[in-house]
Amino acid sequence: MTTILAIESSCDDTSAAVLRDDHVLSNVIASQKVHEQYGGVVPELASRAHQQNIIPVVDAALRRAGVERDGLDAVGFTRGPGLLGSLLVGVSFAKSFATALGIPLVEVNHLQAHVLSHFIDNGGPRPQFPFICLLVSGGHTQILLLRDYFDIVQLGTTIDDAAGEAIDKAAKIMDLGYPGGPVIDRLAREGNPDAFRFATPHIAGYDFSFSGIKTSFLYFLRDRLAEDPQFIEKNKADLCASIQRTIVGFLIKKTERAALDLGVRQLAIAGGVSANSLLRSELQRVCAKHRWQAFIPPFEYCTDNAAMVGIAAHFKYMKGELADLALPPYTRGTR
Ligand code: KG4
Ligand code: ZN
């Protein structure tokens, strides 16, 4: 039995979790409200907020888990990718904390953590290898083939914006606040997804592109607003439902294609956008149609959280893959 403290600070959520093997004892997340007024994450403000949050968040995670510091076996942390100033806070804290306690460190890749959140024990079935995971967040959009926990093949990726970024930008154009994903999801429920059509680009293979969708949404609104300045206000729900349908349809179509081509019968989603209600129901629909199995994470493990870092750290710790104190954070890619 291993008890791991996990730290996540790659973007604008400061999070700490305690896991006993694959079971989450606590998962504390401090989201940073300071970015809302700027319509996006301001890196300098994010790292300052992490500095303020990290100690109270870790303290709360240990207390909620009922675990003393000397009951910990290792400290897992997100090493990258992410914002450097944000990562540095979590990485430095993890290193100092582990050193003070004389326990090992385990470094975790943020994207792998999102995907491996499917192996957190929540009483339900877990995917079997191989399975396909659509990883959709504010920074990434990838179709991945998982052959083992850390044997992950990237089948496709976005060639420009991430899906979450496109949703957030559409929300910004409509002045819905930041992050716009949850607002669009909520407003779309009262709207007609067929009200407006936005073309999706033809991109080869399993890759995506979202910048064209965003631009056509922007130009469409500019033209309509010229005729009627109240256009957005009058059609908000229909606009949200239509743009959401366009983006989710594109994501699902490519993921379904990949599963058909590879003969894989299990599909999972992960990352912040996997909290989207249409994406969740569309995955269920496609899987029911083909008699595939769908894996959808609980909401608390969709957006950034340390529990997913903890499960990834758990598997690495079990393999004896410990991190060196000298390891610096990285902002891009995987390693
Ligand atoms: O994984 P995440 O928390 O952070 C990154 O690693 O990027 O993902 C954040 C993204 C944002 O773009 C946010 O708008 C989107 O996830 N998001 C949603 C929903 N909840 C969060 N997008 C659509 N519908 C939602 N319900
Ligand atoms: Zn993330």
Side-chain angles (χ1 to χ4, degrees):
M1 202 170 67
T2 57
T3 308
I4 292 183
L5 169 72
I7 312 280
E8 156 63 35
S9 74
S10 64
C11 190
D12 61 340
D13 294 297
T14 320
S15 182
V18 179
L19 275 79
R20 185 151 291 152
D21 293 332
D22 56 0
H23 193 74
V24 177
L25 300 181
S26 65
N27 183 33
V28 177
I29 305 166
S31 297
Q32 303 176 357
K33 296 260 170 254
V34 62
H35 308 288
E36 282 171 12
Q37 60 189 300
Y38 300 101
V41 177
V42 183
E44 174 65 20
L45 296 180
S47 53
R48 289 188 203 187
H50 282 304
Q51 284 282 12
Q52 286 174 342
N53 294 341
I54 188 85
I55 290 175
V57 162
V58 169
D59 191 46
L62 288 169
R63 270 189 290 114
R64 278 187 212 170
V67 168
E68 299 288 336
R69 283 178 238 182
D70 60 8
L72 294 172
D73 295 301
V75 179
F77 65 97
T78 300
R79 187 179 161 208
L83 300 169
L84 186 64
S86 292
L87 287 164
L88 275 170
V89 178
V91 172
S92 312
F93 180 89
K95 286 179 179 177
S96 343
F97 202 65
T99 307
L101 295 176
I103 57 175
L105 280 167
V106 185
E107 58 141 327
V108 168
N109 174 283
H110 182 82
L111 305 181
Q112 290 180 350
H114 269 301
V115 176
L116 295 177
S117 64
H118 284 284
F119 294 94
I120 290 173
D121 173 23
N122 56 22
R126 284 170 237 193
Q128 310 271 311
F129 301 110
F131 69 95
I132 283 177
C133 185
L134 170 70
L135 170 60
V136 264
S137 71
H140 300 274
T141 304
Q142 300 179 342
I143 300 180
L144 303 167
L145 173 69
L146 276 94
R147 299 193 292 212
D148 203 348
Y149 296 113
F150 299 102
D151 182 1
I152 304 175
V153 182
Q154 183 182 298
L155 302 173
T157 187
T158 179
I159 59 168
D160 41 52
D161 295 349
E165 202 178 344
I167 295 175
D168 290 343
K169 282 180 182 165
K172 197 169 179 178
I173 293 168
M174 292 187 282
D175 211 10
L176 299 180
Y178 178 86
V183 186
I184 289 205
D185 192 352
R186 183 165 44 78
L187 291 172
R189 281 174 211 163
E190 280 117 54
N192 171 12
D194 295 319
F196 308 107
R197 294 249 161 220
F198 304 104
T200 45
H202 295 285
I203 304 288
Y206 311 120
D207 285 342
F208 298 98
S209 164
F210 291 98
S211 72
I213 299 176
K214 176 195 67 192
T215 312
S216 70
F217 188 67
L218 180 68
Y219 289 166
F220 168 82
L221 283 181
R222 199 186 54 185
D223 294 347
R224 295 300 174 100
L225 284 169
E227 294 159 12
D228 177 5
Q230 298 302 312
F231 183 78
I232 293 179
E233 209 44 55
K234 289 179 190 159
N235 297 282
K236 212 173 246 177
D238 286 349
L239 286 166
C240 289
S242 301
I243 192 73
Q244 176 177 273
R245 216 274 294 265
T246 305
I247 291 171
V248 168
F250 191 29
L251 291 169
I252 287 289
K253 210 170 87 191
K254 289 255 176 173
T255 312
E256 180 183 19
R257 185 74 260 155
L260 285 170
D261 291 350
L262 275 73
V264 171
R265 305 182 56 84
Q266 297 176 85
L267 283 190
I269 49 175
V273 182
S274 65
N276 183 267
S277 52
L278 183 68
L279 183 62
R280 295 165 88 91
S281 63
E282 279 296 285
L283 187 81
Q284 298 276 22
R285 185 188 60 75
V286 162
C287 287
K289 181 174 92 182
H290 296 291
R291 294 173 186 269
W292 296 339
Q293 245 182 311
F295 293 91
I296 296 172
F299 285 109
E300 62 179 314
Y301 304 139
C302 290
T303 44
D304 289 348
N305 67 91
M308 68 184 195
V309 178
I311 192 74
H314 164 74
F315 291 125
K316 280 198 159 178
Y317 182 81
M318 298 307 282
K319 287 204 301 176
E321 268 188 39
L322 305 178
D324 192 276
L325 254 189
L327 287 182
Y330 55 88
T331 53
R332 297 171 155 268
T334 51
R335 56 200 76 185

